[in-house]
Amino acid sequence: MNGIESILENNRKWVKEQRAADPDFFNRLADGQQPKYLFIGCSDSRVPASAITGTGPGEMFVHRNIANMVVHTDFNMLSVLQYAVEVLGVQDIIVCGHYGCGGVAAAASNKQYGLIDGWLTNIRDVIRVHEMEFLRISDEDSRLRRLVELNVIEQVRNLAKTSIIQNARKGAKPPRLHGLVYDIKEGLLTDLKVEDDMISEFNHIYGTSAQKHAAKVLEKETDKPKLTADKPKLTDEKSEKKSSEPSGKNSKPAAK
């Protein structure tokens, strides 16, 4: 068979098998989706999200790109993330990398590849952040495997930096964030256990209270409050100031 003929034939076989096992299968799917998971993975054809996780249709919302990146200027990824969190209400968000990732290997080289170079810069930023650990590993294969892991960790952190996740964490059921790595040779997934304290380590920079925190740090370090006195006040700062002012028209000034 040539072209997509085999795909169409396989589809018909799959439909026949599904209906034989569960006559109402497609009717339930047509009613809507309520996936528990959002899977952010690599586009590599050897890493099929549903197959390696044992999930079926309707159980996992999926976004894939080169090297499973969470880039804050990628409106495709951000749109998927917002829909998954705010509309579908997913419970767990997984960033899944894999050993032998071509995108990671390309980023670790000193070659140019064309249009993708801009995308690979985001992985090179991971190398920059973890340069000391990266360079201490002499074996190239081990170094690339570790870079795959570090990249997953940083992408989970990038998820936590988004306003989408920060707002969701203020709710009653915030989604849990996970970093996994798939070993193609073994077929196994490994949980990197990206703990919450790893994610919140830089919360004072990326969190919603970052501007207020930065102003206080600047005033403390420079001992010159006037440096930030003319800056626009945040909403919470205005509220604090207003609540500290005397109320009522008949308030008398303090005696001199």
Side-chain angles (χ1 to χ4, degrees):
M1 294 184 185
N2 298 321
I4 64 168
E5 292 178 7
S6 61
I7 290 179
L8 295 175
E9 182 175 336
N10 289 337
N11 168 254
R12 293 184 181 94
K13 288 181 180 178
W14 175 70
V15 170
K16 186 177 180 180
E17 292 171 356
Q18 291 294 335
R19 284 179 172 163
D22 183 358
D24 203 39
F25 177 77
F26 292 103
N27 288 331
R28 287 200 309 275
L29 286 182
D31 287 339
Q33 60 173 329
Q34 290 183 315
K36 296 179 180 179
Y37 312 99
L38 167 60
F39 182 96
I40 301 175
C42 182
S43 298
D44 195 302
S45 60
R46 301 167 295 175
V47 192
S50 293
I52 67 174
T53 59
T55 53
E59 294 184 63
M60 179 175 281
F61 206 54
V62 178
H63 174 78
R64 298 173 70 175
N65 58 46
I66 300 297
N68 43 272
M69 302 297 292
V70 176
V71 180
H72 297 119
T73 54
D74 181 2
F75 290 101
N76 186 350
M77 184 280 300
L78 291 173
S79 298
V80 170
L81 178 63
Q82 183 176 26
Y83 188 79
V85 172
E86 298 181 5
V87 179
L88 298 177
V90 297
Q91 299 172 11
D92 295 272
I93 302 176
I94 300 165
V95 176
C96 183
H98 67 96
Y99 298 125
C101 180
V104 169
S109 72
N110 59 356
K111 299 177 181 179
Q112 289 188 6
Y113 296 91
L115 180 64
I116 197 175
D117 288 333
W119 186 260
L120 297 179
T121 298
N122 296 289
I123 307 176
R124 292 187 175 114
D125 288 339
V126 175
I127 298 175
R128 175 179 56 80
V129 172
H130 299 277
E131 185 177 17
M132 293 303 295
E133 178 183 356
F134 185 70
L135 294 178
R136 285 194 185 104
I137 305 173
S138 57
D139 179 69
E140 183 177 2
D141 184 62
S142 298
R143 189 163 59 242
L144 290 177
R145 286 174 68 90
R146 181 54 179 161
L147 181 55
V148 165
E149 297 169 353
L150 292 172
N151 184 50
V152 169
I153 292 170
E154 289 302 323
Q155 303 320 308
V156 175
R157 284 176 167 172
N158 284 345
L159 275 176
K161 295 173 189 175
T162 65
S163 59
I164 298 168
I165 296 300
Q166 290 184 26
N167 291 337
R169 286 188 156 185
K170 298 173 184 176
K173 295 182 178 180
R176 297 174 289 265
L177 308 184
H178 310 274
L180 307 182
V181 174
Y182 178 63
D183 190 329
I184 296 176
K185 288 184 178 180
E186 301 293 336
L188 296 174
L189 288 166
T190 300
D191 186 357
L192 295 180
K193 298 189 181 301
V194 186
E195 303 295 341
D196 194 65
D197 57 347
M198 294 176 66
I199 297 172
S200 60
E201 181 180 357
F202 301 105
N203 195 49
H204 66 284
I205 297 174
Y206 298 104
T208 54
S209 60
Q211 186 178 352
K212 182 177 180 180
H213 175 86
K216 288 183 177 180
V217 169
L218 181 61
E219 290 180 354
K220 182 178 179 181
E221 291 186 352
T222 60
D223 197 27
K224 295 179 180 179
K226 289 185 178 180
L227 288 176
T228 55
D230 297 329
K231 300 295 183 183
K233 300 297 183 182
L234 297 179
T235 302
D236 55 350
E237 291 178 311
K238 289 180 180 179
S239 300
E240 291 173 4
K241 182 178 179 181
K242 187 175 181 180
S243 61
S244 64
E245 293 176 350
S247 59
K249 295 182 180 180
N250 299 323
S251 298
K252 296 181 180 180
K256 295 183 179 179

